[in-house]
Each structure stands twice: as structure tokens, then as C-alpha cells.
Amino acid sequence: MIELSPGKRVYLYECHMSKAFCKKTATAMACFLLSCFFRDEELLGKSLTGVNGKECLDKDIIDSILSK
């Protein structure tokens, strides 16, 4: 396992990181990385920032993904 973003203590399998870097767009990469950490059911009704009364996803994971 490797750390997704140094210092965030969010880890990912190396094979998932390789697959993420093969994605053609940043959006596709972010969506793939989200799917590595959350099930579809966990993403429903939530937001990346917690605005509009929706629950925010884990901030450390989101920050690590966005820093890539």
C-alpha cells in the first residue's frame, strides 16, 4: 500500500493508483479514486464539501484525492 497524499495517512493499493493514473481526465481519475474508498450507497446524498445541508464525505480522503 502507498500513501495517496503525503502526510494525510490515506492509503491505497499500488494497483489502484496505477489504474487511476491511466484515466484520461482528472474527473475520471477522481471518480475512480472515490470508488476505491466509498461504496455507491455511501456517496448517495452526500457532497464533497458538505454544502446545501448534505453530509460531507471524509475530509482527509477528499483532500488527498484533490491533491492528486
Side-chain angles (χ1 to χ4, degrees):
M1 293 190 86
I2 57 173
E3 197 168 19
L4 182 59
S5 181
K8 293 286 187 183
R9 290 181 275 165
V10 175
Y11 295 90
L12 188 67
Y13 290 109
E14 289 183 48
C15 64
H16 288 155
M17 185 62 97
S18 296
K19 287 180 183 178
F21 281 122
C22 289
K23 301 298 178 186
K24 295 183 188 270
T25 65
T27 301
M29 181 182 190
C31 288
F32 174 78
L33 289 171
L34 283 171
S35 74
C36 291
F37 292 102
F38 302 102
R39 294 185 316 271
D40 289 343
E41 300 82 32
E42 293 177 297
L43 296 172
L44 290 174
K46 298 196 178 149
S47 74
L48 299 179
T49 59
V51 296
N52 296 327
K54 293 184 177 183
E55 186 179 342
C56 181
L57 295 169
D58 185 296
K59 184 146 179 59
D60 288 332
I61 294 174
I62 299 304
D63 288 345
S64 293
I65 290 172
L66 293 177
S67 70
K68 282 289 158 203

